[in-house]
Amino acid sequence: MHNVTHAGRLFVLISMIVVAGATHASPVLGAEQPASPPQQQDEFVPVDQLPPQDQLPAAPLLIAAYAFVLVALFAYVVSVARRLSTVQRELERLESDVKRSGRT
Amino acid sequence: MTMPKWFTPAAAICGLMFAASPLLIANAPYESTMGLVQKIFYYHMPAAMTFLISALVCGYASIRYLFGGNPRHDRLGYAAAELTVLFGIIALVTGPLWARKAWGVWWQWDVRLTSSLMGWMVAVAYLLLRKYGGPGSDKLAAGLALFGMANVPFIYISVNYWRTIHPTTSVVPTLPTSMGVPLWFALAAFLLLFVLLLRMRVILEAQRARLDALYLSLDA
């Protein structure tokens, strides 16, 4: 009986040591909670409160957008005008050729 | 076929409107969350609307051409397809420039952006078909334009029916006057430019048709 009690105490002691070691090693099992929220949660700040080196400047994007619109429209107008004048010239040349060949 | 009498005064008015619109846009107030970059909106939205209208005109002219066979409608469809590509690329470039700052990404595969890209690619396919398709490509391209036109209502309402990062169609009607005036002014300028360019482009196609007829008469 004495031996059984002694063995039981020994088993309880070993179990406590194992559990204590495990809880100390594993943060999941441990009851220890951080006093403050994790660092990642503190990282969310409004865009306009970012330090200047982290902010994306708006002006270059705005200028690029308006410049692209104006260049694209201007290039297209020039392209259509050039194509029109080329066809017009060819038409006039051909019409004069037709007239000349009709006379001869 | 020559330029109509109204063309030159209308072109002058359009030029003045495009010169004045940056002043109106500069005087418009900043949007509270996006700030300066939101001003891209004043050219982005009119370009996108003109892109959709142009695709509708192309589809309408193509239907008339497919069922009526009138070459005038074919010329109108061809001209509108080219303008769909022009205004589409403006909307597709200015949008990402705005999104980079407002959303933090250049592009998002959401339904509005993806369907707009598809509509633009249909117009590009129309032009490629006309250029390299050979005989009969006019009818094939007209058939393709119907898909481009069918895509337009989908592009427009997509933001109201699907979860998307893009603002819904209810934003524009609720704008304050200080922001609405520059927007509607820019839209009017874009629409007037669209009409002028469409007219120029149709005249170009008519002249090309005349040229082809002359060459044929010389060969005969």
Side-chain angles (χ1 to χ4, degrees), chain A residues 76 83, chain B residues 58 61-62 72-84 126-131 198 201-202 205 208:
Chain A
Y76 185 74
R83 283 184 279 172
Chain B
C58 180
S62 297
R72 271 180 52 222
H73 294 132
D74 180 45
R75 293 198 282 268
L76 180 63
Y78 197 179
E82 206 170 275
L83 292 175
T84 306
Y126 180 105
L127 296 184
L128 291 175
L129 198 52
R130 290 302 295 259
K131 192 165 175 63
L198 192 67
R201 195 60 188 74
V202 166
E205 283 309 307
R208 280 180 174 164

Side-chain angles (χ1 to χ4, degrees), chain B residues 146-165:
Chain B
L146 302 188
F147 288 99
M149 185 175 72
N151 192 31
V152 170
F154 180 76
I155 295 172
Y156 187 74
I157 62 162
S158 59
V159 282
N160 299 331
Y161 286 93
W162 281 271
R163 283 190 65 179
T164 167
I165 197 167

Side-chain angles (χ1 to χ4, degrees), chain B residues 189-200:
Chain B
F190 268 82
L191 290 178
L192 182 57
L193 181 69
F194 168 70
V195 171
L196 292 166
L197 290 176
L198 192 67
R199 186 70 183 164
M200 273 176 83

Side-chain angles (χ1 to χ4, degrees), chain B residues 10 51 54 59 70 100 124 151:
Chain B
F51 160 60
S54 189
N70 189 337
R100 180 69 185 94
V124 172
N151 192 31

Side-chain angles (χ1 to χ4, degrees), chain B residues 21 41 45 61 78 88 100 109-110 137 140 143 149 157 210 215:
Chain B
S21 67
F41 170 68
M45 181 269 187
Y78 197 179
R100 180 69 185 94
W109 289 105
D110 84 342
S137 63
L140 277 173
M149 185 175 72
I157 62 162
R210 241 180 93 194
Y215 273 119

